[in-house]
Amino acid sequence: MIVPYSDLKCSLDTALLNSELKVYYQPQINLQTGRIVGLEALLRWNHKQYGYIPPATFIKVAEHHLMMDEISSYVLNVVCDDIQTWNAHVPAIPRIYINISASQFGNKSFLKQIVPLLHDKEISPDQLGLEVTEGVHWTEQNITPLLSLKAAGIFFSLDDFGKGVSGYNAIKTFPFDKVKIDRNYVKNLKDSAIDRAIVSSIMHLANQLNIEVIAEGVEDKQTVVILNELGCHSVQGYLYTKALPNDQLLKYLLTQGGSYEKANYNWSNC
């Protein structure tokens, strides 16, 4: 069903007010060990009238109406509550990555609340990662608060790496811990020598800079074999699992029986 654009802004306000936006988590799997090394927090919206609305649709509305700080604050609070709950039930959890968009860098209110919230919830900063989308205008004013967060122990990942030239400027300017290969290169690896060459070059660059590489959108075993041969560190995608609500994810974590290490779960046993 096509949702009238005019309805989305009002509906999004209501969804935030009534907690209709739900945070799901998609595991990130280490290719060498087969263990979960991270979780990406993803928003899902099941509209009461229009049904499921893709994130790409409502995020564009949120950016246009300057709602991203509000939405990210909502996600941050939900994630911190979930971490707090999980910390009480399992020995350790994988690092959770929250997406932040380029539009948020002009307003620092969201960034300034992160460390105090972690402190209030008694959450270690290294349990949280921020995944930055391409398109950020990297200036000293933008970089300074991010460096403060990194110094506090928060990890940083660059999303959609290779999509545009801004990604190269980003890793030149800011000390990212991880880059995520743009899914357009991942989906054609089986059939495209050019895409394999591009991914190989990304791996070579990342290794030179000591940056971890993750591939998203992985849906078949042949792609995993190729990524492993190219030296990719970790993957996420439907081949392993779709994004899961917090209660289902907790059940998976609990099945590990305490036999795992911090940020390192064996998904193959689930």
Side-chain angles (χ1 to χ4, degrees):
M1 180 182 295
I2 299 177
V3 185
Y5 185 89
S6 58
D7 288 355
L8 274 180
K9 169 60 169 61
C10 182
S11 295
L12 196 52
D13 283 330
T14 303
L16 277 170
L17 185 64
N18 297 333
S19 299
E20 294 174 14
L21 297 178
K22 303 300 181 182
V23 178
Y24 280 48
Y25 299 93
Q26 187 170 39
Q28 300 174 339
I29 314 298
N30 182 285
L31 282 179
Q32 295 298 313
T33 66
R35 299 187 175 204
I36 300 177
V37 291
L39 300 166
E40 182 180 3
L42 298 166
L43 269 183
R44 297 291 183 261
W45 185 13
N46 190 22
H47 195 284
K48 292 181 179 179
Q49 178 180 355
Y50 300 113
Y52 176 74
I53 299 178
T57 298
F58 67 80
I59 291 299
K60 287 181 180 179
V61 175
E63 288 180 335
H64 179 75
H65 291 281
L66 305 179
M67 297 177 64
M68 285 308 301
D69 269 9
E70 187 178 0
I71 287 178
S72 292
S73 295
Y74 169 79
V75 173
L76 176 65
N77 277 273
V78 171
V79 166
C80 286
D81 286 342
D82 286 342
I83 292 175
Q84 198 173 40
T85 299
W86 294 337
N87 281 343
H89 289 88
V90 295
I93 63 172
R95 182 174 297 112
I96 298 179
Y97 288 87
I98 296 174
N99 293 285
I100 58 175
S101 68
S103 64
Q104 293 176 261
F105 281 70
N107 185 346
K108 306 301 188 295
S109 61
F110 168 69
L111 300 177
K112 289 179 179 178
Q113 69 179 283
I114 295 176
V115 172
L117 182 60
L118 293 176
H119 182 267
D120 289 344
K121 299 284 187 179
E122 298 183 339
I123 295 171
S124 174
D126 67 2
Q127 290 186 284
L128 184 70
L130 297 180
E131 189 163 297
V132 183
T133 60
E134 276 211 32
V136 174
H137 183 51
W138 293 95
T139 65
E140 183 177 351
Q141 184 180 11
N142 287 338
I143 293 171
T144 299
L146 298 187
L147 289 174
S148 297
L149 291 173
K150 187 172 176 61
I154 293 171
F155 278 61
F156 280 85
S157 176
L158 180 63
D159 196 15
D160 296 334
F161 186 74
K163 187 175 183 178
V165 295
S166 62
Y168 293 92
N169 184 50
I171 62 172
K172 178 182 177 181
T173 308
F174 185 80
F176 281 94
D177 302 287
K178 179 190 294 188
V179 295
K180 180 178 286 184
I181 302 172
D182 182 68
R183 66 173 62 239
N184 286 319
Y185 299 120
V186 176
K187 68 180 182 180
N188 295 320
L189 275 180
K190 296 180 296 182
D191 306 310
S192 173
I194 294 176
D195 285 338
R196 289 196 295 273
I198 291 173
V199 172
S200 178
S201 67
I202 291 174
M203 285 305 313
H204 177 73
L205 175 62
N207 287 334
Q208 292 293 311
L209 298 176
N210 196 30
I211 299 175
E212 182 183 346
V213 178
I214 180 171
E216 66 175 338
V218 175
E219 298 183 357
D220 60 84
K221 293 182 178 180
Q222 189 176 349
T223 298
V224 171
V225 171
I226 296 171
L227 286 168
N228 195 37
E229 290 174 348
L230 294 174
C232 188
H233 304 117
S234 54
V235 295
Q236 70 181 87
Y238 281 2
L239 175 64
Y240 297 91
T241 178
K242 62 182 180 180
L244 300 170
N246 60 356
D247 57 338
Q248 290 185 30
L249 186 63
L250 178 58
K251 289 179 182 178
Y252 278 121
L253 299 183
L254 289 173
T255 62
Q256 301 308 299
S259 61
Y260 43 78
E261 299 176 359
K262 183 177 182 180
N264 209 9
Y265 295 83
N266 193 335
W267 188 259
S268 62
N269 291 337
C270 296

